[in-house]
Amino acid sequence: MHRSGSRVRGRVRGRPRVRTVVATCALVLASLGAAPAPARAPTPTPAPAPAPVATGGHRDPLAPFHAQRIRWGDCPEAPVPDGMRCAVVKVPLDYAAPGRGTVEVALARLPATDPKHRLGSLLLNFGGPGAEGIATLAADHRSFADLGERYDLVAFDPRGVGHSDPVTCGGARQGEDGPATDAAAQLADLRAAVRRCELASGPVLPYIGTVHVSRDMDVLRRLLGDEKLNFLGFSYGTRLGAVYAAQFPRTTGRMVLDGVDTLSEPLVEQALISARGQQRALDNFLTWCTHQVDCVYGTNTRTAKEEVADLVARLDERPLVGHDGTYVTGRAAASAIGDALYARSAWPELAAALALAERNHDPVGLLTLGGPPERSGPPRSPGPVGGDGFDPVPADNQSAALAAVNCADDPDRSADKATPAAVEKEIGDLAGEFLQASEIFGPSQLMTVLGCYGRPAGTDFIRRIDHPGAPRMLLIGTRGDPATPYEWAEETAERLGSAVIVDHKGDGHTGYESSPCVRAYADEFLLHGRLSSGTRSCPAGE
């Protein structure tokens, strides 16, 4: 999914004072354990051009990478399904200068269970940015059992993520020397946070981002022995698939993109649209809840919306405290509610958690919804099943990679030269619009405005994708998706110029696992190559 870092934020009544919002943004973003700012490249490189291709008598500079042999062995995660094997391969650190250095990319494979009818490899990406592919395939392989009959299921940790030269901000947290007291000091804190990420991550950080990862995918395709890349991507993984198709249209095979990410919106616009999408998903949940027998908010949907907003506001003033001393603020409650909206199957659990909070003043339900916090402390060690050759995963890797990739992909967010007064004004001008989008989720999404402060603008390659000439592919958009709104599927289809859309009328983030109808369209295309023209439709619940 395309998240904008930690969503543990607060609700603000009315139009907040500019300085208050700036302080909130800076303090949150400088807290590296929650949402680390991405590092600024010591020697920024321009957006790379499409991968070099050997012509005439010229030697392909990528030939040494294409000549590798994959040495499959034990995996760094435990447990893993029977037959799953893992490996580490090398790719260029910088595709513009392949001799400059290398990055290690970890991958996993589950061989096809019907090898006589094997179609090749199916590369999967489960979202993020920052999500580990190996661990997700190990945990969720049964969801792809039908595809796994005829495909080798292959997942990988993208560069900078998981066991693939992971980035980190060193686990340092803001506030060790006391909070900054004015906007200039707060922005200086952000630059210092950027510097810590830069120093802790090593040489891979300036070369992180979707354009680089999509090139790594083509190296993996060659090493796996596939003439074309067959791909199933979810959420952020759809951006990876689209960028691959733009760079390598001739080797793009059957591609399904579910929960389609934007290719054109700046981070601020993404955040605003995401706030609206989260609010729309919450409204859908409350409509469902008020039709249940024991909804804590009764039967009136309009007043239910007001009561949830009031709950979040009250908890910022008086957090709920559990018997063991754990507590939930309004910021944490908004984050937990947002997490539960990603899957319709979680709606009963969300309704129960809200009932506990409202009736019993008990935070345990909301704490469970939010899931365990990202761990602090030393790097995570590889699992006991064969850790040799795999990088340990730093505790803050997911949030560090998320922020770094989002900024590497966006050419607009280069506010480092702006004065504190200009930054204050920008945030103040945006605050009202974000609150109008959602009183509950708008303030947290507003944090994106400073998400790339201290870093130069990213690549504009993704922004410029326009009818790359790739073969037809299948895009899936869900109407009630809180993270990737349906309109992004339509926009991306127009940009690619070669896509068929499945219009899923349901709720939740992505549709493949929740809708048999969606899964049938996707599997039919991936397994048999059949793809109808025009927009297809899948009703909610089917």
Side-chain angles (χ1 to χ4, degrees):
M1 66 191 160
H2 181 63
R3 297 186 182 220
S4 54
S6 173
R7 292 174 295 160
V8 185
R9 313 284 194 261
R11 173 178 179 266
V12 183
R13 288 185 177 276
R15 184 180 178 85
R17 291 181 299 155
V18 172
R19 187 168 300 280
T20 300
V21 180
V22 170
T24 302
C25 288
L27 290 174
V28 170
L29 291 171
S31 177
L32 297 180
R40 176 170 50 189
T43 54
T45 55
V53 178
T55 57
H58 296 290
R59 179 179 178 273
D60 180 1
L62 299 181
F65 299 96
H66 297 158
Q68 297 176 84
R69 292 183 60 188
I70 301 180
R71 302 181 185 278
W72 298 104
D74 292 338
C75 292
E77 306 295 335
V80 298
D82 291 342
M84 181 168 160
R85 305 288 279 170
C86 295
V88 174
V89 300
K90 293 184 182 298
V91 296
L93 177 69
D94 180 3
Y95 280 88
R100 181 174 294 176
T102 62
V103 175
E104 291 188 339
V105 173
L107 67 157
R109 180 179 67 177
L110 270 172
T113 57
D114 183 7
K116 290 184 178 180
H117 299 95
R118 180 180 176 273
L119 294 171
S121 304
L122 178 66
L123 195 66
L124 299 108
N125 181 277
F126 304 100
E132 298 176 40
I134 294 175
T136 306
L137 179 61
D140 200 28
H141 62 97
R142 292 182 182 86
S143 298
F144 311 101
D146 290 344
L147 295 173
E149 290 183 5
R150 301 190 63 190
Y151 281 108
D152 294 344
L153 300 179
V154 178
F156 69 108
D157 292 351
R159 60 168 65 199
V161 174
H163 300 285
S164 298
D165 281 355
V167 296
T168 176
C169 294
R173 292 179 180 269
Q174 186 274 341
E176 294 173 357
D177 300 322
T181 56
D182 58 40
Q186 291 160 7
L187 295 178
D189 280 350
L190 284 176
R191 286 192 293 271
V194 166
R195 181 60 177 165
R196 288 196 295 272
C197 299
E198 174 185 314
L199 292 174
S201 292
V204 70
L205 192 55
Y207 303 99
I208 200 170
T210 303
V211 173
H212 290 289
V213 175
S214 65
R215 292 181 174 182
D216 296 343
M217 289 163 54
D218 198 59
V219 174
L220 295 180
R221 174 190 66 80
R222 287 175 175 257
L223 296 181
L224 291 166
D226 293 305
E227 181 179 348
K228 295 190 175 183
L229 181 80
N230 299 310
F231 181 78
L232 174 57
F234 300 93
S235 193
Y236 163 74
T238 68
R239 194 196 312 169
L240 268 177
V243 172
Y244 180 90
Q247 293 193 97
F248 304 100
R250 294 182 180 179
T251 55
T252 297
R254 299 173 187 177
M255 186 170 286
V256 174
L257 310 180
D258 184 6
V260 183
D261 201 356
T262 180
L263 301 178
S264 58
E265 300 286 358
L267 282 179
V268 172
E269 292 302 317
Q270 291 180 41
L272 189 61
I273 292 172
S274 293
R276 293 180 183 135
Q278 287 180 295
Q279 186 62 51
R280 182 168 57 241
L282 177 59
D283 293 347
N284 291 347
F285 159 76
L286 291 172
T287 298
W288 169 86
C289 183
T290 54
H291 286 80
Q292 307 306 304
V293 174
D294 193 33
C295 181
V296 69
Y297 298 119
T299 59
N300 189 312
T301 302
R302 181 183 61 80
T303 58
K305 297 176 186 178
E306 296 172 355
E307 290 183 61
V308 173
D310 287 340
L311 172 67
V312 172
R314 290 199 312 272
L315 296 186
D316 267 334
E317 297 175 2
R318 298 183 302 278
L320 289 179
V321 181
H323 297 299
D324 60 353
T326 55
Y327 63 92
V328 173
T329 64
R331 298 189 297 271
S335 178
I337 292 168
D339 286 341
L341 294 174
Y342 271 68
R344 188 182 176 97
S345 59
W347 285 9
E349 185 182 358
L350 174 57
L354 291 170
L356 275 175
E358 296 278 19
R359 291 172 178 158
N360 301 343
H361 307 290
D362 187 342
V364 67
L366 292 173
L367 286 168
T368 303
L369 286 177
E374 188 171 25
R375 290 181 294 177
S376 58
R380 188 177 78 199
S381 297
V385 181
D388 293 343
F390 294 93
D391 291 313
V393 183
D396 67 340
N397 173 244
Q398 185 171 5
S399 55
L402 182 148
V405 172
N406 279 341
C407 295
D409 287 0
D410 188 86
D412 300 325
R413 300 306 311 155
S414 183
D416 200 33
K417 297 179 181 179
T419 65
V423 174
E424 284 188 311
K425 184 178 186 304
E426 180 183 13
I427 295 172
D429 290 344
L430 289 169
E433 190 173 7
F434 275 79
L435 285 170
Q436 184 177 5
S438 174
E439 286 190 84
I440 294 174
F441 304 112
S444 65
Q445 294 293 348
L446 180 58
M447 303 304 134
T448 302
V449 174
L450 291 181
C452 299
Y453 187 85
R455 164 186 184 92
T459 179
D460 66 349
F461 179 89
I462 301 171
R463 189 74 57 81
R464 293 185 286 106
I465 292 174
D466 183 25
H467 292 70
R472 288 200 308 162
M473 60 191 73
L474 182 65
L475 275 55
I476 299 162
T478 296
R479 292 286 178 169
D481 195 318
T484 52
Y486 179 80
E487 51 263 37
W488 284 354
E490 294 180 314
E491 292 173 5
T492 299
E494 176 62 28
R495 295 279 301 281
L496 294 173
S498 57
V500 171
I501 296 177
V502 170
D503 180 356
H504 178 217
K505 309 293 186 182
D507 295 287
H509 185 40
T510 73
Y512 184 86
E513 292 194 57
S514 62
S515 168
C517 174
V518 167
R519 187 163 55 253
Y521 277 117
D523 287 359
E524 182 72 8
F525 177 48
L526 290 170
L527 292 172
H528 306 292
R530 290 193 279 269
L531 187 62
S532 303
S533 299
T535 298
R536 306 287 92 185
S537 181
C538 282
E542 295 185 17

